Amino acid sequence: MEPLSNIPGGMRYYFGREARVRRAVEDAVMGVFDGWGYEEIATPSVDYYALFERGMGHEEARRSFRFTDTDGRLLALRPDVTSSVARAAATLFASAPRPLRFCYAASVFRQRPRSHADWRRQERQLGCELIGTDKWDADLEVLVIASEMLERLGLRDSCRITLNAVGVFNGVAGQLGLNAASREQMQQCIDARDGAALEQLLSRFVKSMPAVSRAVQLARLSGGAEVLGEARKLVSNAQSRAAIGLLELLCEGVESLGLSECFSIDLSDVSGLDYYTGLVFKIYIEGAGARVGSGGRYDELTANFGRREPAIGFVLDLDAVTEIIARGGDFEPENGGSDTATIIKSGYLEERFREAKSKRERGEKIRME
Amino acid sequence: MLTIAIAKGRMQNDALELLRRAGVSVSAEALASRRLAVEDETGRFRFVFVKPSDVPVYVEHGIADCGVVGRDVLLETEADVLQPLDLKIARCRIAVAARDDAYTGRAGVLHVATKYPRIAAAHFGSLGVPVEIIELSGSVELAPVLGLSDCIVDLVETGRTLEENGLRVVETITDSTARLVVNRASYQLKAAEVGALISELSSVLVERDG
């Protein structure tokens, strides 16, 4: 017989303290979503591959575990939740009043990992979606939720949420008149913070040297809200200006709420440009080598499911957060988070169970010998 | 404190020299020791010396905040790291080399021996040439000589090893130099320290290259 000691790559068990921390983190985050009026939604674990292909794009969707249904149609183990929520918004909730507020805690699966550090093939996502409003206060709402969530988890001093708006890049790339291929290369250079390669690339396509140097300087900008002033001086097109205007509003918003410490601007965050349409943000925590959460505005997504409407959302990677908190942190699981239990051992079977039952009725933790 | 992973070997001394000029220096005594992790004199930096192909691994996981490693390794490992600076040291190229008469596929398939299977597959893939990639971990030049492969894809610095084994470069795939790489999370969470290192190093580079 085949030995079953092996576990497939990227899969794992949780038990003991780590399992308790994980449960408590999930409860705390879902509590925050609930507190802001987000309704929990559970989506199918298995769905048509075409749904995810439309929802996430081909590149991401093809990382999923795929198999066929009895009628030959291609199925996938869900690689994300947002696609499915967007479909529900356009169909099941088509006539529900807007805005819709949904939250979820769900495992997603990837057959192929994104990078070496990202080895997990099962990841539990805690996320929320705010659908049907394109006002900037919706953007502010999810940022405030994200920061409340991190504060509840005791991560406020060790976290950073970086903000960008895709219009900054799109406006500049449009103005430079790049074709699709060179635009993608430009995006890769900026994403890798490779200023020299960016300059080289743009010099090949763009005649105006000052325009190249402005684009290179712009891509380097990251830091506090003050970099937006510098960014304004470097752009002249309306799209980029509007995007910078949005970031300014959001910075003022978080500042007035006393939250600016955990936020910073990162104009070189240009991943996911084909997916997001406005604000984009990433969540980093000390101790994790990669981002632990990300989100943004995706006003085009629901159009894939027959009803175009604005939407914004984000996810937190529960497994990554659990790993950091379980290693030590200020967050202590509140309910049922203890190891200690009264051990019931004396007496006859009936007596023992009577004692156990009465202790349980008082809410005590017990363990039968 | 910033942890910097440095690729052992070829570029180690040049990298340390650049860092020394940027004000980050390790005592000779610490370097002479066989310790694999040493601190610089200010205590602001810790260096770890690892195999070149392990540099992106340490940096991607955030165990090292920064690293110095060749572009060849970054391409081969498809490392997801930031690459803010080209240090322009350890210059070399990744090339296809073959014996003059043997650069054609047997039975329609080109047999390629290499330490860079991904780069080789991508290169021949883009040309539409069907290949069998034979992954070796050293002395790649021997493969065509003994008839294991039709050609090799390897790092070429001076070309002397190739010459001595009767091989010559038939095609350059790409150039490679050492890069400063940075972990994505460290770049945000230690923005001030990482930013300072990048600007110190870039002024050294400007001074050196004029």
Side-chain angles (χ1 to χ4, degrees):
Chain A
M1 224 170 53
E2 187 190 358
L4 289 175
S5 52
N6 269 345
I7 298 158
M11 298 291 173
R12 61 160 298 180
Y13 289 94
Y14 282 95
F15 48 83
R17 177 173 147 75
E18 233 182 340
R20 286 196 301 274
V21 167
R22 188 168 184 260
R23 162 74 56 202
V25 170
E26 179 174 320
D27 290 348
V29 171
M30 292 303 277
V32 173
F33 290 147
D34 179 59
W36 282 84
Y38 285 69
E39 283 283 344
E40 181 166 357
I41 186 167
T43 68
S45 308
V46 170
D47 216 315
Y48 289 116
Y49 175 71
L51 170 83
F52 301 111
E53 203 174 26
R54 267 196 234 171
M56 317 169 78
H58 181 67
E59 275 297 306
E60 281 298 312
R62 67 177 181 182
R63 296 182 188 282
S64 60
F65 285 92
R66 284 169 286 183
F67 41 98
T68 49
D69 205 350
T70 44
D71 61 359
R73 287 182 70 182
L74 197 54
L75 295 170
L77 209 45
R78 73 174 161 227
D80 92 328
V81 181
T82 302
S83 307
S84 187
V85 173
R87 173 182 59 188
T91 54
L92 198 56
F93 295 95
S95 53
R98 282 355 193 209
L100 295 167
R101 287 184 168 84
F102 289 123
C103 69
Y104 52 83
S107 296
V108 298
F109 303 87
R110 271 190 304 269
Q111 187 155 29
R112 232 163 24 95
R114 263 188 294 242
S115 71
H116 305 277
D118 181 28
W119 63 277
R120 288 187 197 92
R121 297 204 290 173
Q122 175 175 358
E123 167 192 314
R124 196 154 173 87
Q125 288 189 338
L126 310 178
C128 71
E129 319 281 357
L130 173 49
I131 301 167
T133 164
D134 60 359
K135 295 211 205 92
W136 76 274
D137 36 340
D139 296 17
L140 186 60
E141 177 175 323
V142 294
L143 292 180
V144 175
I145 293 172
S147 87
E148 177 180 329
M149 189 182 80
L150 292 164
E151 175 154 15
R152 285 285 173 91
L153 298 176
L155 297 168
R156 186 170 171 174
D157 296 332
S158 58
C159 74
R160 181 143 301 250
I161 303 177
T162 64
L163 309 180
N164 192 15
V166 299
V168 180
F169 173 91
N170 287 340
V172 171
Q175 201 179 19
L176 292 174
L178 301 178
N179 61 23
S182 49
R183 189 190 170 98
E184 197 182 320
Q185 281 176 297
M186 176 178 175
Q187 187 185 340
Q188 283 165 359
C189 292
I190 295 177
D191 180 60
R193 284 16 171 221
D194 194 342
L198 177 64
E199 192 163 352
Q200 230 170 28
L201 172 81
L202 293 181
S203 315
R204 271 195 279 142
F205 296 100
V206 182
K207 293 235 161 56
S208 152
M209 275 317 285
V212 170
S213 116
R214 278 199 302 273
V216 172
Q217 274 177 275
L218 185 69
R220 280 210 186 109
L221 289 180
S222 65
E226 69 282 353
V227 303
L228 293 173
E230 291 172 52
R232 269 209 179 274
K233 291 181 206 147
L234 295 167
V235 299
S236 52
N237 71 84
Q239 192 181 10
S240 301
R241 282 179 168 274
I244 292 170
L246 169 70
L247 293 172
E248 282 168 343
L249 277 176
L250 292 171
C251 283
E252 281 163 29
V254 293
E255 167 104 57
S256 70
L257 294 168
L259 299 172
S260 48
E261 251 168 76
C262 29
F263 288 94
S264 70
I265 299 291
D266 180 14
L267 297 183
S268 37
D269 172 17
V270 292
S271 54
L273 278 184
D274 38 2
Y275 185 79
Y276 292 112
T277 56
L279 171 71
V280 286
F281 60 100
K282 303 257 188 307
I283 304 170
Y284 296 94
I285 304 176
E286 270 169 36
R291 61 167 197 253
V292 298
S294 64
R297 176 166 286 287
Y298 45 91
D299 292 346
E300 300 298 321
L301 179 61
T302 56
N304 292 325
F305 305 108
R307 179 183 168 137
R308 180 185 299 269
E309 60 183 327
I312 182 166
F314 75 93
V315 292
L316 187 74
D317 176 348
L318 175 64
D319 300 86
V321 173
T322 301
E323 202 177 307
I324 292 161
I325 291 179
R327 253 190 259 148
D330 297 335
F331 181 75
E332 272 309 315
E334 276 169 26
N335 309 315
S338 94
D339 257 336
T340 51
T342 312
I343 295 171
I344 313 262
K345 51 184 170 186
S346 59
Y348 296 108
L349 182 109
E350 214 175 290
E351 242 172 77
R352 281 191 280 136
F353 275 95
R354 202 171 298 126
E355 190 191 344
K357 188 164 170 289
S358 75
K359 279 194 163 32
R360 286 302 304 134
E361 276 161 6
R362 293 197 299 272
E364 286 176 42
K365 187 166 174 172
I366 57 149
R367 199 159 64 232
M368 304 304 286
E369 192 184 47
Chain B
M1 194 201 284
L2 283 184
T3 300
I4 305 178
I6 303 222
K8 280 197 291 194
R10 236 159 43 83
M11 66 184 59
Q12 183 177 331
N13 290 336
D14 288 352
L16 286 173
E17 172 58 21
L18 266 186
L19 285 161
R20 189 191 62 76
R21 282 201 255 165
V24 186
S25 53
V26 189
S27 70
E29 180 195 0
L31 279 181
S33 74
R34 302 194 59 153
R35 278 180 301 157
L36 294 172
V38 297
E39 279 183 29
D40 87 316
E41 282 154 3
T42 63
R44 278 163 63 212
F45 299 95
R46 181 173 65 161
F47 291 95
V48 292
F49 298 99
V50 298
K51 259 182 77 172
S53 58
D54 293 344
V55 171
V57 178
Y58 280 91
V59 176
E60 263 195 280
H61 282 85
I63 302 303
D65 302 297
C66 306
V68 175
V69 67
R71 178 158 179 269
D72 57 315
V73 174
L74 295 172
L75 287 174
E76 180 57 31
T77 54
E78 292 178 347
D80 185 26
V81 293
L82 307 179
Q83 307 176 31
L85 282 183
D86 180 353
L87 301 176
K88 296 183 180 147
I89 53 174
R91 192 177 292 278
C92 58
R93 54 196 168 138
I94 302 168
V96 183
R99 296 158 73 179
D100 293 353
D101 54 347
Y103 184 51
T104 47
R106 288 177 296 215
V109 177
L110 192 65
H111 300 261
V112 186
T114 185
K115 283 187 277 189
Y116 299 92
R118 280 202 192 148
I119 294 174
H123 173 69
F124 289 108
S126 72
L127 299 175
V129 177
V131 288
E132 185 196 337
I133 305 281
I134 303 162
E135 195 177 340
L136 297 176
S137 48
S139 304
V140 181
E141 301 82 3
L142 210 53
V145 177
L146 298 180
L148 177 64
S149 73
D150 303 313
C151 64
I152 64 171
V153 167
D154 206 11
L155 216 55
V156 182
E157 246 174 308
T158 60
R160 250 189 67 200
T161 323
L162 291 182
E163 215 171 285
E164 284 173 5
N165 289 288
L167 301 176
R168 64 181 185 89
V169 171
V170 290
E171 197 178 1
T172 296
I173 297 177
T174 184
D175 291 313
S176 172
T177 48
R179 303 296 164 110
L180 176 74
V181 295
V182 182
N183 171 267
R184 284 185 182 271
S186 302
Y187 191 82
Q188 303 299 341
L189 296 164
K190 300 184 179 177
E193 289 163 278
V194 171
L197 177 68
I198 293 174
S199 74
E200 279 160 25
L201 272 173
S202 34
S203 42
V204 170
L205 293 176
V206 168
E207 200 179 301
R208 184 194 66 186
D209 303 330

